[in-house]
Amino acid sequence: MAIGIRLYCLGFLLFVAVVSASLREDNAAVERFQKYLQINTAQPTPDYAAAADFILSQAGELKLESETINFVPGKPLVLLKWPGKDESLPAVLLNSHTDVVPVEAHKWGFSPFAASIDPETERIYARGSQDMKSVGIQYLEAIRRLVADGFKPERTIYLSFVPDEEIGGAEGAGVFSNSEKFRNLGVGFVLDEGLPSDGQNYRVFHGERSPWWTVIKASGAPGHGAKLYDNSAMENLVKSLEVIGRFRASQLNLLKAGEKAEGEVISVNMVHLKAGTPTPTGFVMNLQPSEAEVGLDIRVPPTVDEEALLRRIAEEWAPSSRNMTFQFKSKVPVNDMYGKPAITPVDSSNPWWALLENAVKEAGGELSKPEIFPASTDARYFRQLGLPAIGFSPIANTPSLLHDHNEYLGRAEYLKGIKIYASIIRALGSHFPVDGRIKDEL
Ligand code: ZN
């Protein structure tokens, strides 16, 4: 055989070997994702212990330092540490929640905790495949690849796997972010979950709306159902509902006209109405009740003037002049603990942002214009502390099926996400901000 042909054959064999090695790696990464998805961590009875065991086994393979913290008994938070060469630099925290929302299994085409792959479409079907076991395992898979490449971060990278996000996070990221433990980590930047995007670009979030769960009560003199008089509880409540309805319509119009995005308007929705005097079969029909109430789910963008909205509620929606009162069942502050809007800057004032944006680009991805997350995530707890936090899930070309039936993530999209995170973690791990700018490779 001529030398040229022999070299060609050798080259070809090498190529085949590299391709099959990377295919093996990809398959193993998919299998680990499936294993994580198969642990049933659905609320209200998540198997947190099994999830913690799984994460600890991964950490062991990667030789990451690990710790299980039970801020609340039965709700373990797993904290992993990849120590940086210079521990005095601000650290990065990669956060993900381990719980998922419940399923109506009979409405799924695939069993929601089997993590089966549809052979035709290569979609991995499971609860948590988008929200957000994908992200948790992608962080780990990205680190696995960086470790294999011999990469060592300059700054420390922490990974927190937190419980309870799907039921508000107070006993998960809430207690963690307010703990002495967290303060001692020296975290300077946080990554958390985002939302899938239908298009080619990834969605990215730098703030979120604060839930204000409000109950408005009206009271008034009770009276005979046949009597006409002013200021009954029902009449006063209905007046308020008209005012609230007009406000809601104005916000909806902004949304419909495309003037504002979902995260930029104040949403107000009635979630309960309570009035009337019950009987075993219905309600008393000849009695005007002395009390009536409405429950509202209000979502407030971080750009809104909190005081002005409070005045609006007090003066227009629940005025004492109409015998009305209001109370918050839950009210997440719009501003951070320093009184500033809880938004992470996405301009040159935030060096972390530039690092993130470039790292995604370098891995062949593109970010959309940063948005305000329309609902809530754990990121709010970190923004509350004044920390920069970005919500990002590397899922493009995929419909958003969070909390929906048949939640899935495509195999290729999952694997691409690992590359994206490897690029992000490498960038965040090897640069540091100086005077608001990023110094090049250390
Ligand atoms: Zn989530």
Side-chain angles (χ1 to χ4, degrees):
M1 222 181 331
I3 288 179
I5 294 175
R6 248 186 259 166
L7 276 179
Y8 174 79
C9 287
L10 212 65
F12 181 71
L13 284 175
L14 200 67
F15 172 74
V16 170
V18 168
V19 168
S20 61
S22 91
L23 188 65
R24 260 202 314 276
E25 244 177 62
D26 286 352
N27 286 342
V30 170
E31 277 165 29
R32 286 186 287 265
F33 182 27
Q34 287 172 295
K35 269 193 192 144
Y36 190 24
L37 291 169
Q38 284 158 359
I39 301 167
N40 187 336
T41 52
Q43 293 290 356
T45 52
D47 190 351
Y48 283 138
D53 284 348
F54 172 77
I55 295 155
L56 291 172
S57 76
Q58 299 302 302
E61 286 177 23
L62 302 175
K63 302 206 164 44
L64 303 177
E65 293 176 21
S66 63
E67 195 179 344
T68 307
I69 312 169
N70 283 289
F71 288 107
V72 177
K75 298 189 173 183
L77 179 153
V78 181
L79 182 66
L80 307 182
K81 179 181 181 184
W82 194 12
K85 288 183 217 160
D86 182 352
E87 296 212 29
S88 70
L89 293 173
V92 166
L93 176 70
L94 308 173
N95 185 57
S96 67
H97 60 84
T98 53
D99 61 328
V100 297
V101 287
V103 292
E104 292 172 82
H106 60 284
K107 294 189 180 165
W108 284 57
F110 292 83
S111 168
F113 295 100
S116 322
I117 304 179
D118 180 341
E120 254 170 59
T121 58
E122 294 208 313
R123 291 172 178 169
I124 305 160
Y125 282 89
R127 174 61 86 223
S129 56
Q130 296 187 0
D131 181 16
M132 65 175 300
K133 284 178 170 165
S134 49
V135 171
I137 195 81
Q138 280 167 325
Y139 292 152
L140 287 165
E141 291 298 326
I143 290 175
R144 188 181 287 271
R145 290 185 187 189
L146 292 171
V147 168
D149 284 353
F151 175 78
K152 287 194 175 66
E154 295 295 331
R155 70 172 75 254
T156 296
I157 310 284
Y158 287 103
L159 292 88
S160 46
F161 292 83
V162 303
D164 272 17
E165 193 275 346
E166 297 294 3
I167 53 167
E171 297 189 334
V175 273
F176 176 47
S177 63
N178 285 308
S179 68
E180 179 85 31
K181 178 88 207 170
F182 181 79
R183 269 191 295 285
N184 292 336
L185 301 182
V187 169
F189 181 62
V190 181
L191 273 184
D192 206 319
E193 68 190 308
L195 289 173
S197 139
D198 280 332
Q200 288 188 337
N201 294 354
Y202 295 117
R203 296 179 76 180
V204 62
F205 301 87
H206 65 127
E208 58 188 57
R209 298 195 294 187
S210 300
W212 287 15
W213 293 342
T214 315
V215 174
I216 294 178
K217 266 192 186 153
S219 51
H224 195 284
K227 195 176 171 207
L228 281 174
Y229 58 96
D230 280 325
N231 278 321
S232 76
M234 285 289 214
E235 184 200 10
N236 282 337
L237 186 70
V238 168
K239 276 185 186 160
S240 283
L241 294 182
E242 284 166 6
V243 177
I244 295 166
R246 278 198 295 277
F247 177 82
R248 184 182 183 279
S250 73
Q251 299 295 299
L252 185 56
N253 283 342
L254 289 171
L255 199 61
K256 283 181 181 165
E259 280 177 49
K260 287 196 172 177
E262 201 186 354
E264 295 167 354
V265 294
I266 302 174
S267 63
V268 188
N269 287 308
M270 277 194 269
V271 290
H272 78 249
L273 269 171
K274 210 164 102 188
T277 309
T279 66
T281 52
F283 291 92
V284 178
M285 292 302 291
N286 60 353
L287 175 67
Q288 300 185 53
S290 63
E291 281 184 4
E293 70 172 56
V294 62
L296 302 171
D297 183 348
I298 309 173
R299 302 288 170 135
V300 189
T303 43
V304 162
D305 178 345
E306 188 169 330
E307 292 304 314
L309 181 60
L310 275 173
R311 266 202 309 278
R312 181 187 289 272
I313 294 172
E315 291 169 12
E316 296 177 21
W317 298 4
S320 54
S321 59
R322 283 206 303 269
N323 286 332
M324 301 188 70
T325 56
F326 68 98
Q327 198 192 351
F328 292 110
K329 290 274 165 202
S330 165
K331 178 174 172 286
V332 174
V334 170
N335 294 331
D336 66 18
M337 61 189 283
Y338 303 105
K340 290 188 186 148
I343 301 184
T344 298
V346 281
D347 55 26
S348 56
S349 72
N350 176 7
W352 302 100
W353 170 250
L355 276 181
L356 179 76
E357 210 180 13
N358 286 335
V360 172
K361 232 177 242 166
E362 272 171 27
E366 194 80 46
L367 297 179
S368 297
K369 188 172 159 272
E371 301 169 67
I372 302 296
F373 200 93
S376 298
T377 73
D378 280 339
R380 73 179 185 278
Y381 292 111
F382 303 108
R383 290 197 194 100
Q384 257 305 304
L385 304 174
L387 281 173
I390 294 290
F392 170 70
S393 300
I395 308 175
N397 308 305
T398 306
S400 177
L401 294 167
L402 275 80
H403 303 196
D404 206 339
H405 313 310
N406 297 314
E407 182 180 347
Y408 74 81
L409 182 58
R411 182 181 187 276
E413 202 58 37
Y414 164 68
L415 293 170
K416 188 174 173 196
I418 296 173
K419 279 194 192 135
I420 298 276
Y421 276 128
S423 177
I424 291 173
I425 296 169
R426 184 186 283 273
L428 295 177
S430 36
H431 300 70
F432 70 100
V434 179
D435 302 331
R437 300 201 345 234
I438 298 290
K439 196 179 168 199
D440 278 327
E441 293 281 344
L442 285 163

